Amino acid sequence: MLDFVQKMNQLGRAQVPFLFILDFDLKYPIVLPLNTINSKDISFSFGNKSNEEQQNFPPKDLIFNFTAPPQEEFEIAFQKIQKELHAGNSYLTNLCFRSPISCNWNLETVFQQASAKYKLRYKDEFVFFSPETFVKIENGIISTFPMKGTIDASLPNAHNILLQDPKEEAEHATIVDLLRNDLSRIAKKVRLKKYKYLDLIKTNKGNIWQMSSEIEGVLPKNYASKIGNIINALLPAGSISGAPKRKTVEIINKVEKGERSYYTGVSGVFDGKNLDSGVMIRFIEKKNNKLFYRSGGGITAKSVCKKEYQELQQKIYIPINNSKSLLVETIRLKNGIFENLQWHEERMNRSRLLVFGQKNRIDLPERLSCNYGFGEQLVMCRLVYDKKIKQIEFIPYREKDVRTLQLVKLPKTATEETAYKWAHRVLYQKLLAKKGDADDVLIVRDGKITDTSICNVAFWDGQQWWTPKNPLLKGTTRARLLEEELILEKIIKLEDLDNYKKIRLFNAMIPWASKKELSVSNILRYNKFHKK
């Protein structure tokens, strides 16, 4: 048995939290208990699991350039892949190159400033900032999210072009089938939960649409003691190798120049019960004091060389987190209609006045008057702004399932951070890290109930819905419900919780009428907060 598998199994069996960094060929695997990691050597941020330390100074503006690999070299490699595809040796092969880059940020600054679901810096050797999940394990359910298909979001009707592209459809379907088979090797009741949804990814060069799907299965009860075997059985990640895996990896090793090393490997954190991991793409490495960006894409028999070469370059970017002085509005778009727009307009203009001293008003209906072509799809419109609107994003919305809430205490020093709807959510991420096995947190300030990490709340006493009088953020839906007298305000202290039967969650994306409710008994309480 491989040493890293044994070590992961031992730590999993003992429920010891650990970080793993597994290279593509499994020549240099790293498995470290979290309590042994020095953040000066390794920095990571995977969802709510992070040892990231915030910088106290703003970085210089990013200067970033790259030199693409010679097109002739790419065409030669592309044709070699096509020959293998037409011979029936592969159905999908991921072809990768490395491109020299110049960047005025060091690897630590790139890690700090990049905005991504999965980030890791390993010493002064490499950093990645990946949007792609490898696998997640939550309460015995293992999920994977195959990600194949991108397009420049600035193109007219870009999302529909991507969804209807026959080459992207073939590539996506192949990888979904591959990963469904992978999960079936280690899990039961494997099913395709969602197929071909789109996410908008922000980059330093503009936005791109990324197409993904979701597959899940049920692990055996003793999965933690076999966590190493489970991860090893799924390697290498199908989305960055191809199908069938074994033969396709042989093709990759013949065609690509040099080993991939940690690029396109996987990395993640096991917290003692659950696991979250990402594929190591969007990757910068340092060799002989020079920086290189690794990128690539899936090649099928329907691929066009020129388009694949363009896609390789399109993926060379740093998704910058420039949100620390910006505000945000999130607006529900359904059936082509922006809901409750007047309330969003009022809060946005009030915030612009109070935070930035900007007196002129922005007319939101006028700014959002185009037909965006989403049809009946539920979409979150996200406006990022300061004095002016900086960015308008449209993100297909998937509501989070919330069945339990964990009470957490808000640090007194954090009070000012909650007054406005900031685009950065560092405070809420820190609070979410304390949720344990719950689905979300219910935040307590000075002994009084406020909000969850994303919703205002109201409590039912058998006759009336009551919302906390002093929430962290006064949401637009809350303001409208108060005006319509569907809810009333009162101070709700921690010791008052047992006076209520249920709690309802609501925000701009979760309408009051959807009745997203749970019993007050599903609020998990700390002894230091509440005497049982």
Side-chain angles (χ1 to χ4, degrees), residues 290-440:
K290 295 181 179 180
L291 297 177
F292 298 88
Y293 199 110
R294 306 291 290 260
S295 63
I299 309 296
T300 71
K302 295 183 178 180
S303 295
V304 177
C305 185
K306 184 178 179 180
K307 288 185 177 180
E308 296 301 332
Y309 184 63
Q310 290 172 345
E311 182 177 334
L312 177 143
Q313 296 177 68
Q314 187 181 56
K315 291 177 179 176
I316 302 174
Y317 66 83
I318 298 176
I320 298 175
N321 180 7
N322 60 356
S323 61
K324 294 183 180 179
S325 60
L326 298 174
L327 297 170
V328 67
E329 282 293 324
T330 52
I331 305 171
R332 180 181 166 100
L333 173 61
K334 178 72 172 177
N335 295 323
I337 298 173
F338 292 96
E339 298 182 4
N340 304 313
L341 206 52
Q342 69 183 82
W343 296 95
H344 291 287
E345 181 183 73
E346 176 59 31
R347 182 172 65 178
M348 183 183 73
N349 284 314
R350 184 174 65 251
S351 297
R352 290 173 61 248
L353 174 63
L354 296 176
V355 177
F356 304 110
Q358 197 68 21
K359 295 182 179 180
N360 68 305
R361 295 179 62 84
I362 292 177
D363 186 332
L364 270 189
E366 181 181 346
R367 290 298 301 270
L368 299 173
S369 60
C370 298
N371 180 3
Y372 293 96
F374 288 100
E376 297 181 358
Q377 186 178 15
L378 176 58
V379 174
M380 178 174 70
C381 173
R382 188 172 185 269
L383 279 76
V384 181
Y385 67 96
D386 47 23
K387 294 181 179 181
K388 300 178 181 180
I389 293 177
K390 297 288 189 179
Q391 194 168 26
I392 302 177
E393 305 171 298
F394 295 92
I395 305 169
Y397 186 72
R398 301 181 297 281
E399 186 175 316
K400 179 181 177 182
D401 187 24
V402 177
R403 299 179 183 178
T404 54
L405 297 170
Q406 174 66 63
L407 288 170
V408 297
K409 195 171 185 178
L410 181 75
K412 291 185 178 180
T413 55
T415 304
E416 291 184 2
E417 294 186 48
T418 66
Y420 300 95
K421 189 163 181 165
W422 298 101
H424 73 90
R425 289 181 53 83
V426 174
L427 171 65
Y428 291 101
Q429 289 169 357
K430 290 179 179 178
L431 294 173
L432 277 170
K434 302 177 182 179
K435 71 182 180 67
D437 294 333
D439 299 310
D440 200 349

Side-chain angles (χ1 to χ4, degrees), residues 140-144 183 187-191 215-219:
I141 304 296
I142 185 167
S143 304
T144 188
L183 283 197
K188 303 293 184 183
K189 299 181 181 178
V190 174
R191 68 184 183 110
I215 308 165
E216 68 175 22
V218 180
L219 292 173

Side-chain angles (χ1 to χ4, degrees), residues 187-204:
K188 303 293 184 183
K189 299 181 181 178
V190 174
R191 68 184 183 110
L192 179 60
K193 189 174 180 181
K194 296 176 184 175
Y195 186 60
K196 287 175 62 175
Y197 62 84
L198 299 183
D199 288 310
L200 194 69
I201 297 175
K202 297 174 286 183
T203 84
N204 60 308

Side-chain angles (χ1 to χ4, degrees), residues 503-516:
I503 179 174
R504 184 178 290 190
L505 314 182
F506 57 92
N507 61 22
M509 295 303 300
I510 304 173
W512 177 259
S514 68
K515 297 183 179 180
K516 190 175 182 65

Side-chain angles (χ1 to χ4, degrees), residues 117-351:
K117 190 182 296 184
Y118 304 98
K119 300 193 298 180
L120 182 141
R121 174 193 58 83
Y122 184 75
K123 300 182 178 179
D124 197 33
E125 297 180 18
F126 68 84
V127 62
F128 75 85
F129 30 89
S130 172
E132 182 171 0
T133 302
F134 177 51
V135 293
K136 277 187 174 183
I137 300 175
E138 293 183 343
N139 301 317
I141 304 296
I142 185 167
S143 304
T144 188
F145 304 81
M147 183 179 284
K148 279 292 176 186
T150 58
I151 193 171
D152 182 349
S154 66
L155 296 175
N157 204 29
H159 55 290
N160 283 332
I161 293 173
L162 177 58
L163 289 169
Q164 296 169 12
D165 187 301
K167 179 264 175 182
E168 300 290 3
E169 165 64 26
E171 185 178 338
H172 196 85
T174 298
I175 208 64
V176 166
D177 192 48
L178 172 65
L179 297 191
R180 183 163 45 189
N181 289 339
D182 279 354
L183 283 197
S184 296
R185 296 166 59 192
I186 48 92
K188 303 293 184 183
K189 299 181 181 178
V190 174
R191 68 184 183 110
L192 179 60
K193 189 174 180 181
K194 296 176 184 175
Y195 186 60
K196 287 175 62 175
Y197 62 84
L198 299 183
D199 288 310
L200 194 69
I201 297 175
K202 297 174 286 183
T203 84
N204 60 308
K205 300 189 298 182
N207 295 340
I208 59 174
W209 286 110
Q210 177 77 64
M211 185 161 61
S212 303
S213 290
E214 180 178 356
I215 308 165
E216 68 175 22
V218 180
L219 292 173
K221 291 184 178 180
N222 64 340
Y223 68 86
S225 65
K226 298 181 179 180
I227 199 77
N229 296 87
I230 290 170
I231 296 300
N232 188 45
L234 300 174
L235 295 173
S239 63
I240 46 71
S241 54
K245 273 191 187 179
R246 181 176 298 179
K247 183 61 179 177
T248 300
V249 170
E250 291 178 10
I251 296 169
I252 288 170
N253 289 334
K254 283 195 305 182
V255 174
E256 293 184 4
K257 293 184 176 180
E259 67 178 14
R260 292 187 177 183
S261 189
Y262 289 100
Y263 172 58
T264 66
V266 302
S267 182
V269 170
F270 176 71
D271 66 5
K273 181 179 179 181
N274 298 321
L275 179 145
D276 197 1
S277 62
V279 181
M280 291 194 281
I281 56 175
R282 312 302 187 262
F283 189 100
I284 296 174
E285 64 185 5
K286 192 173 185 179
K287 297 286 187 181
N288 300 320
N289 214 33
K290 295 181 179 180
L291 297 177
F292 298 88
Y293 199 110
R294 306 291 290 260
S295 63
I299 309 296
T300 71
K302 295 183 178 180
S303 295
V304 177
C305 185
K306 184 178 179 180
K307 288 185 177 180
E308 296 301 332
Y309 184 63
Q310 290 172 345
E311 182 177 334
L312 177 143
Q313 296 177 68
Q314 187 181 56
K315 291 177 179 176
I316 302 174
Y317 66 83
I318 298 176
I320 298 175
N321 180 7
N322 60 356
S323 61
K324 294 183 180 179
S325 60
L326 298 174
L327 297 170
V328 67
E329 282 293 324
T330 52
I331 305 171
R332 180 181 166 100
L333 173 61
K334 178 72 172 177
N335 295 323
I337 298 173
F338 292 96
E339 298 182 4
N340 304 313
L341 206 52
Q342 69 183 82
W343 296 95
H344 291 287
E345 181 183 73
E346 176 59 31
R347 182 172 65 178
M348 183 183 73
N349 284 314
R350 184 174 65 251
S351 297

